[in-house]
Amino acid sequence: VHRFLAFLTPLLQFRLFLTTNFDNLLEESLRLEGLHPVVYNVSRNSPLPHPSLVQQDLSVVKLHGGAFGLRVGETLDQPLDEDSKVRLKMYLPPQPILLVMGVGGWDRRVMDIVQLVIERRREEGARRGSRANPLGSGASPAVYWMHFEGECPQPVKTLIKATRRGEVCPVRTYNPGAFLMELHSGLTGAHPPSPQPYSAQVPRPIVRPRKTPLKEQKPIRFFVDTMAGYDLGASLELARLAAEQAATHTPIWVDLE
């Protein structure tokens, strides 16, 4: 995921990453591609960086702090203060589009940020005279929310009901990294070049699960190709099994070829 976010940064002109992760995988991936992000660790006792700083460089804002200044405990459930809301709103371009990945919506601070993005789009729509359709004619949603579950997490459902139609678009995915890889390939028609090696193969197959009754499941199964299947039949069946079991197990995919 982090590598493909880095590949897409110059292509889509990303200027700001807001993350709740403590690790440095994102900024290291950006640096591998010759980019120079400025990282801001927002610890428990530090405010958000001033918008003038964030806007002048490629910025990574760690909302829960970094390795040496974590924001943990009850503070994660506290709403954003007014100063933080003002600063975050100033971070945003006139018509922001927010892609939410790896978050279930249970973090109050994250939900406040999502609401700020929606408000910013509404304000811009009103300024342009699109009161009937605050997103603008034919405009994309303000928020795309990616989730693994069969249904949206409850906080996202609540958000959709509380907002106007089309402002929040839930998108189910089996693998965010595969989504970003497909996005890059769709925009460029090729895999991204890089001075550093990376895996272009999804760690596990992404196939829509096929529900199988428990009584039909067996501890050992054999998958055999047939001539009519052009050597793909057994692989697809195995991929479906792995995708099905991934909901409750961690498949270990061993390729012996």
Side-chain angles (χ1 to χ4, degrees):
V1 172
H2 304 93
R3 293 299 305 275
F4 274 90
L5 284 174
F7 296 147
L8 286 166
T9 294
L11 189 63
L12 297 179
Q13 298 183 346
F14 292 155
R15 299 298 298 165
L16 173 63
F17 290 96
L18 301 174
T19 176
T20 58
N21 290 343
F22 307 133
D23 57 59
N24 64 347
L25 295 177
L26 176 56
E27 52 264 41
E28 286 302 313
S29 294
L30 292 169
R31 292 179 184 126
L32 284 175
E33 301 312 311
L35 303 172
H36 305 283
V38 178
V39 181
Y40 299 95
N41 295 325
V42 185
S43 63
R44 185 169 184 169
N45 299 317
S46 63
L48 287 169
H50 193 273
S52 62
L53 297 174
V54 173
Q55 292 169 349
Q56 68 183 5
D57 295 297
L58 172 62
S59 300
V60 176
V61 179
K62 296 191 172 185
L63 300 171
H64 292 177
F68 302 102
L70 300 181
R71 180 186 290 270
V72 295
E74 72 284 352
T75 60
L76 299 182
D77 297 323
Q78 296 175 356
L80 287 172
D81 59 85
E82 290 304 315
D83 181 66
S84 294
K85 288 183 179 180
V86 170
R87 292 195 172 197
L88 280 166
K89 216 165 191 179
M90 293 177 67
Y91 291 173
L92 303 174
Q95 298 190 67
I97 296 177
L98 179 64
L99 175 63
V100 183
M101 304 177 68
V103 179
W106 301 101
D107 188 328
R108 173 66 183 276
R109 294 165 58 83
V110 171
M111 297 304 286
D112 285 347
I113 293 173
V114 172
Q115 190 62 46
L116 286 174
V117 172
I118 295 172
E119 292 175 3
R120 186 74 178 92
R121 285 287 291 272
R122 288 179 181 175
E123 291 172 359
E124 182 63 16
R127 188 185 69 81
R128 297 188 176 197
S130 304
R131 297 185 182 276
N133 181 7
L135 295 181
S137 178
S140 61
V143 178
Y144 289 92
W145 198 301
M146 305 190 72
H147 61 93
F148 295 99
E149 302 86 350
E151 296 184 1
C152 287
Q154 188 56 47
V156 183
K157 288 184 177 180
T158 303
L159 175 67
I160 294 174
K161 290 181 179 179
T163 55
R164 298 169 185 171
R165 182 178 181 181
E167 289 182 325
V168 180
C169 178
V171 182
R172 188 184 182 191
T173 179
Y174 292 98
N175 188 301
F179 160 75
L180 295 175
M181 181 171 65
E182 182 180 359
L183 176 59
H184 188 283
S185 298
L187 292 172
T188 64
H191 286 302
S194 174
Q196 300 294 329
Y198 66 92
S199 175
Q201 182 180 8
V202 179
R204 70 184 184 205
I206 302 175
V207 180
R208 185 176 299 278
R210 180 186 57 194
K211 297 188 180 298
T212 303
L214 288 175
K215 62 181 180 180
E216 296 182 12
Q217 295 186 7
K218 300 178 181 179
I220 299 177
R221 304 188 194 184
F222 293 92
F223 300 88
V224 181
D225 282 321
T226 61
M227 293 299 294
Y230 299 99
D231 293 333
L232 292 177
S235 297
L236 290 177
E237 287 298 314
L238 183 57
R240 289 193 181 96
L241 174 64
E244 177 184 343
Q245 298 298 324
T248 54
H249 298 73
T250 301
I252 300 175
W253 189 272
V254 181
D255 190 347
L256 299 180
E257 292 184 4

